[in-house]
Amino acid sequence: MFNPLIEEIVEFRDERDWKQFHNPKDLAISLSLEASELLENFQWKTSEEAIDDNIDNIIDELADVVIYALLMSNELEINLEQAIKRKIHKNSQKYPVNKSFGSSKKYTDL
């Protein structure tokens, strides 16, 4: 699912000799920093205002978050498609429809 995209990202990285900086710790830090930059677009605004004012930047920051997540999955040899399906299954056990439908409560509070 992600292989061609990961290959393109890795090629971009390797052309610039950046692999040396892409260990799991630094990728996790970068992922968090980019997620914070994404959040910054929404600070002090409604969702609608943020989207109207910052959609191009939101797109760029979201892309950065996904790029770092894909690089991290590649570095750790994690099959993201399998990991996502596994997580959805776990969440379906924690949040059964009959208890969680329309609720924002954490599974421990259901």
Side-chain angles (χ1 to χ4, degrees):
M1 178 180 195
F2 297 109
N3 287 346
L5 187 54
I6 291 173
E7 288 173 12
E8 187 173 343
I9 294 165
V10 167
E11 181 181 343
F12 176 89
R13 178 202 66 196
D14 290 350
E15 288 174 343
R16 288 152 181 81
D17 192 28
W18 289 348
K19 183 173 179 17
Q20 62 185 314
F21 309 115
H22 289 178
N23 59 73
K25 174 195 66 92
D26 288 322
L27 289 170
I29 290 168
S30 296
L31 179 60
S32 179
L33 292 171
E34 294 299 341
S36 294
E37 289 180 17
L38 175 61
L39 281 172
E40 196 172 30
N41 288 285
F42 293 90
Q43 188 175 27
W44 315 123
K45 300 177 181 186
T46 66
S47 289
E48 294 78 15
E49 289 170 334
I51 292 166
D52 288 345
D53 294 348
N54 302 315
I55 189 63
D56 290 337
N57 201 46
I58 290 168
I59 291 167
D60 286 346
E61 297 304 339
L62 182 58
D64 286 339
V65 168
V66 173
I67 287 168
Y68 280 116
L70 291 172
L71 282 168
M72 190 169 193
S73 73
N74 185 67
E75 184 68 23
L76 297 173
E77 298 180 1
I78 295 169
N79 179 315
L80 269 183
E81 185 173 2
Q82 289 176 355
I84 291 167
K85 288 179 180 182
R86 181 173 158 225
K87 184 62 177 175
I88 290 170
H89 177 73
K90 282 182 175 182
N91 285 345
S92 72
Q93 301 300 305
K94 286 196 231 178
Y95 297 97
V97 173
N98 65 328
K99 290 184 178 181
S100 59
F101 187 84
S103 174
S104 64
K105 291 182 181 178
K106 188 173 178 177
Y107 68 95
T108 55
D109 296 329
L110 293 174

